[in-house]
Amino acid sequence: MMKRLWQKTMIALARSHRMKTFMQRDERMKALAQRFVAGADAQAALATAHRLLAAQGIRASFFYLGEYVDRPELVSENVEQKLLIARLLADEEEIDVHISVDPTQIGLQTDPAEVGTRALAIGRAIMTASAGKAGLHCLMLDMEDSSVVDFTLALHDDLRRLELPAAITLQAYLRRSERDLERLITGGARVRLVKGAFVGTSDIAFTSEAQIKTNYRRLVGMMLGAQAKASGFYPIIATHDDRIQAEAVELARRNGWPQGSYEFEMLLGVRSDVAERLSQQGERVRLYVPFGRDWWPYAVRRIGENPANGILLARSLLSGRKGRPATP
Ligand SMILES: Cc1cc2nc3c(=O)[nH]c(=O)nc-3n(C[C@H](O)[C@H](O)[C@H](O)COP(=O)(O)OP(=O)(O)OC[C@H]3O[C@@H](n4cnc5c(N)ncnc54)[C@H](O)[C@@H]3O)c2cc1C
């Protein structure tokens, strides 16, 4: 009950434009967000990726912040930033060219007919930047609300047909994901499995945390099963749930998946100790590394995922440092 109330409050804060403008100017909030967001620009994201790789052997998936964009100039900015990070990554020997994209970032709400062309440009930039390099390079399609799942899957399939290095996210809260996963396994795709940051009605979605977890485990079972192994499928288990991670490690071992033939993905700043431990055990671990000027909605959603983060928020607000305009 308290958890739901806390999450609802944080989601309302994330959606408030006035709150965003106010908070993004506040140095104390900026300091708090630094836990979850690499910085304002691609260089800051690269620096974080280097730090993670050097200190813990952890890889990065880069994400330029800004979702559900409804202004053409912001769509252009998003596309430019994705292309820029791909260009910068071309000069990096050790860092994967692994870039996450939300379809609504690149125009699904403004001009859907152009989304394919923009995704294609980003996919090609990733391919060029990663040519001849070792590592796992890809354009990872994030999954947004249930109304865009068909579109996102079709976009993924189109990119793969063109032999571009596309990967896709599926959400365990959706009932349809089992069917979608079956098809993607058969095609030897790369799939990142998450629980889902959205809610749905019971005809399309599992609605309780317990049901979602059960379905997550079922889908992990498919991702690390014999058929997936035979088809060349690449499983990406994206959760902070250390029990599920431990079960996946055990299942992979039992089913003959060597370490590095699947991976774990988590969010920057969330349960960093768990990520580090997995990496120390020899597992391949990647962190989602967001960067960009518009950090408030993303950071407040992360804070909202765990009521214990309320302490962090209160400490920041009560800290003695004076608020002054940030240089995001
Ligand atoms: C790499 C990655 C990509 C994602 N992409 C998408 C996407 O494309 N579409 C989408 O709908 N969702 C996406 N998500 C979000 C995802 O759907 C979940 O909302 C989120 O990961 C929380 O679920 P969980 O599996 O970590 O488990 P939970 O059961 O929520 O958490 C497991 C444990 O981690 C702790 N924890 C979780 N979050 C936090 C936090 N912020 N701070 C402190 N502790 C925390 C919990 O307290 C609990 O102990 C993504 C998540 C990851 C990791």
Side-chain angles (χ1 to χ4, degrees):
M1 176 76 178
M2 280 302 287
K3 188 175 177 193
R4 282 206 162 268
L5 184 64
W6 167 257
Q7 285 174 334
K8 271 183 143 175
T9 311
M10 291 299 114
I11 287 169
L13 283 180
R15 288 189 179 155
S16 160
H17 188 69
R18 283 178 68 187
M19 192 57 93
K20 181 177 92 176
T21 311
F22 178 73
M23 289 301 193
Q24 288 187 173
R25 287 170 184 273
D26 190 298
E27 278 293 308
R28 295 164 305 179
M29 283 301 112
K30 194 181 167 204
L32 176 59
Q34 273 168 4
R35 175 173 160 187
F36 303 108
V37 177
D41 54 33
Q43 279 78 7
L46 267 178
T48 300
H50 275 293
R51 179 177 55 75
L52 290 168
L53 193 64
Q56 297 154 20
I58 289 179
R59 293 150 190 257
S61 171
F62 297 91
F63 179 71
Y64 183 70
L65 290 161
E67 310 125 63
Y68 291 92
V69 173
D70 55 7
R71 283 172 29 212
E73 67 275 20
L74 292 181
V75 169
S76 303
E77 179 185 317
N78 285 337
V79 176
E80 276 161 26
Q81 287 291 329
K82 309 272 182 202
L83 295 172
L84 170 67
I85 187 92
R87 278 199 300 275
L88 290 176
L89 286 167
D91 296 331
E92 298 288 336
E93 275 312 309
E94 293 180 313
I95 310 241
D96 293 350
V97 192
H98 198 297
I99 300 173
S100 283
V101 176
D102 286 8
T104 66
Q105 284 193 304
I106 57 169
L108 188 55
Q109 290 187 317
T110 52
D111 45 357
E114 295 303 315
V115 170
T117 313
R118 292 175 188 137
L120 196 69
I122 298 168
R124 287 205 173 117
I126 291 172
M127 193 125 127
T128 306
S130 59
K133 283 167 55 170
L136 189 81
H137 312 289
C138 73
L139 187 170
M140 169 60 77
L141 288 167
D142 290 347
M143 192 59 86
E144 301 173 272
D145 68 85
S146 59
S147 69
V148 303
V149 174
D150 280 327
F151 182 94
T152 310
L153 281 162
L155 180 60
H156 165 263
D157 295 349
D158 286 347
L159 293 172
R160 283 198 79 212
R161 255 192 300 279
L162 294 167
E163 298 189 358
L164 290 168
I168 191 160
T169 308
L170 290 184
Q171 300 152 316
Y173 90 105
L174 285 181
R175 293 179 186 275
R176 61 173 289 170
S177 291
E178 182 170 350
R179 217 173 48 245
D180 293 332
L181 181 59
E182 259 167 26
R183 186 179 68 77
L184 289 162
I185 284 177
T186 307
R190 296 171 183 176
V191 174
R192 172 210 268 161
L193 181 66
V194 300
K195 286 185 186 152
F198 300 85
V199 286
T201 46
S202 59
D203 52 333
I204 60 159
F206 296 105
T207 53
S208 75
E209 277 180 36
Q211 284 176 328
I212 295 169
K213 239 184 206 189
T214 303
N215 196 43
Y216 195 98
R217 288 189 159 100
R218 180 167 40 237
L219 301 182
V220 169
M222 290 166 64
M223 288 168 77
L224 290 167
Q227 200 196 340
K229 194 152 182 284
S231 73
F233 179 82
Y234 187 80
I236 304 170
I237 296 143
T239 180
H240 308 97
D241 190 323
D242 50 347
R243 272 208 190 166
I244 292 184
Q245 290 169 343
E247 289 163 15
V249 167
E250 175 54 25
L251 187 62
R253 199 189 53 76
R254 266 205 323 270
N255 290 349
W257 291 76
Q259 286 181 323
S261 63
Y262 60 94
E263 70 180 45
F264 292 96
E265 196 172 343
M266 295 170 67
L267 304 175
L268 181 70
V270 179
R271 303 200 83 186
S272 313
D273 54 328
V274 174
E276 202 171 332
R277 204 166 51 234
L278 271 177
S279 179
Q280 277 165 3
Q281 288 164 6
E283 299 296 339
R284 183 180 283 180
V285 181
R286 188 178 305 277
L287 294 189
Y288 192 77
V289 174
F291 65 98
R293 288 181 292 122
D294 252 356
W295 48 265
W296 167 254
Y298 177 87
V300 82
R301 276 207 310 277
R302 297 293 79 81
I303 294 166
E305 273 161 2
N306 188 348
N309 290 340
I311 297 166
L312 283 179
L313 187 61
R315 255 197 223 137
S316 298
L317 287 170
L318 295 172
S319 76
R321 270 190 295 160
K322 276 210 158 130
R324 59 185 166 82
T327 44

